[in-house]
Amino acid sequence: MEAHMIELRDLAYVRLGASNLEDAQSFATKSLGLQVGEQAKQALYLRSDDRAHTLCYFEGDPQDQTVAFEIADQDKLNAAGATLDALGHAVHAGTPDECALRKVKAFIGFKDPTGNQIELVVRPERNGKRYFATRDAGITGFSHVGLFTTDPLRDELFWTQVCNARVSDRIGDIALMRVNAIHHTVALAPGRGPGVHHINHQVESNDDVLRSYYHLSGQRVPIVFGPGRHPTSGARFLYFQGPDAMVFEYSVGVDEIEDEEGHRPRQFGFEPSSLCMWGARSGRPR
């Protein structure tokens, strides 16, 4: 059977196990600035745009982390499952109960070569009400994730040859890959094992980034990196640490790749100036 390239359209959601759901809710609303879409006994659904949710915290192991991508329709989902199966990736088809928990029509789950838990979903639920946060962080939407990789070259080939991701730029061995016009949807960060490296939300303005820097500092939320500006995408950014040591990022002004055919990835050295052109240093929370 012919293998079909898996066509990822966009990020759908991240699911994170939470050691304390109350702490997760407090952080998500008072610090991060997401809207509670729905609260169940053991899960918290959080909105950042017109979708029913883009982040779900559930009672469970904080190492239990899943990133989901939207697929166009059921036929393409079936083809994706067949492709993954042919490559030796164990594929799990979502049960009706599991689909209801994820607010999607259908999904399949599998692990990428590093072991990151990935889900491909069809028809994620939308919400008729406008997204309205409890804190005015200026969030305009859920934009990208960083995933750990134990073998950057192998995983880059998986995302670009099995899936339709394209490399926009590289910083050392970190590949910044897009699935649409936005500079990157997935960043592959070298690590010792699987997991989510960081979760990004776009905000409206530079002012939002700086306002959040002071707001989060006042709440004693650990600042991990920034404020700064990425030379690769041009985005102004701030990284900070949430519950169970998960890192979140705000950014504004990320580039779009307009010339899809003509774009050539740039190679940046893995050094502080490649990560921030203003001189911010990434390091331990402060």
Side-chain angles (χ1 to χ4, degrees):
M1 179 182 166
E2 184 188 355
H4 295 273
M5 179 172 278
I6 299 170
E7 294 178 35
L8 310 174
R9 298 177 77 180
D10 197 4
L11 275 171
Y13 54 75
V14 176
R15 290 175 58 81
L16 299 176
S19 58
N20 185 315
L21 213 48
E22 281 186 20
D23 287 351
Q25 178 168 352
S26 176
F27 168 80
T29 54
K30 296 175 184 173
S31 300
L32 184 56
L34 299 183
Q35 179 185 11
V36 176
E38 185 183 324
Q39 198 166 356
K41 191 177 179 184
Q42 295 176 312
L44 181 69
Y45 296 87
L46 296 151
R47 298 181 63 206
S48 60
D49 53 30
D50 70 341
R51 288 174 285 191
H53 84 294
T54 52
L55 174 61
C56 176
Y57 275 114
F58 60 92
E59 274 185 18
D61 181 356
Q63 300 303 311
D64 189 351
Q65 304 168 356
T66 301
V67 174
F69 297 87
E70 187 178 351
I71 296 281
D73 54 40
Q74 185 68 54
D75 287 346
K76 285 201 163 61
L77 189 68
N78 294 342
T83 295
L84 291 163
D85 193 53
L87 290 170
H89 295 269
V91 176
H92 167 74
T95 65
D97 284 350
E98 289 171 334
C99 289
L101 279 176
R102 288 156 177 77
K103 303 185 182 298
V104 298
K105 179 68 175 171
F107 81 94
I108 58 173
F110 69 98
K111 291 184 177 179
D112 76 356
T114 282
N116 291 302
Q117 293 184 154
I118 308 296
E119 291 176 354
L120 306 179
V121 310
V122 172
R123 287 164 54 188
E125 190 181 307
R126 294 301 212 235
N127 189 313
K129 293 180 181 176
R130 188 165 67 168
Y131 155 69
F132 186 79
T134 39
R135 167 175 111 70
D136 182 17
I139 289 173
T140 58
F142 172 41
S143 182
H144 72 256
V145 294
L147 286 176
F148 283 115
T149 169
T150 53
D151 186 332
L153 184 59
R154 176 201 63 200
D155 287 6
E156 184 184 307
L157 289 173
F158 173 82
W159 288 101
T160 58
Q161 295 189 2
V162 179
C163 302
N164 64 327
R166 286 89 66 199
V167 176
S168 295
D169 288 314
R170 295 183 184 86
I171 305 170
D173 288 333
I174 301 172
L176 306 174
M177 303 178 297
R178 66 192 184 280
V179 301
N180 45 40
I182 296 168
H183 185 274
H184 58 284
T185 316
V186 177
L188 290 179
R192 295 177 188 169
V196 175
H197 177 273
H198 72 278
I199 296 168
N200 170 278
H201 292 88
Q202 291 293 300
V203 294
E204 212 164 333
S205 70
N206 290 343
D207 290 343
D208 290 318
V209 172
L210 292 170
R211 264 195 293 266
S212 282
Y213 171 70
Y214 289 108
H215 176 82
L216 295 168
S217 298
Q219 288 196 324
R220 300 189 183 279
V221 171
I223 303 297
V224 179
F225 187 22
R229 185 171 186 181
H230 289 310
T232 46
S233 66
R236 278 74 72 194
F237 66 82
L238 179 70
Y239 292 80
F240 52 99
Q241 190 171 287
D244 301 310
M246 178 55 65
V247 173
F248 289 83
E249 179 193 13
Y250 294 132
S251 63
V252 60
V254 67
D255 287 343
E256 294 198 8
I257 307 295
E258 292 173 9
D259 182 7
E260 184 59 54
E261 292 302 313
H263 180 78
R264 295 291 175 268
R266 297 168 296 177
Q267 176 69 56
F268 290 79
F270 188 72
E271 57 199 18
S273 62
S274 299
L275 299 168
C276 179
M277 58 203 298
W278 292 350
R281 296 292 179 114
S282 176
R284 293 178 180 173
R286 62 177 191 277

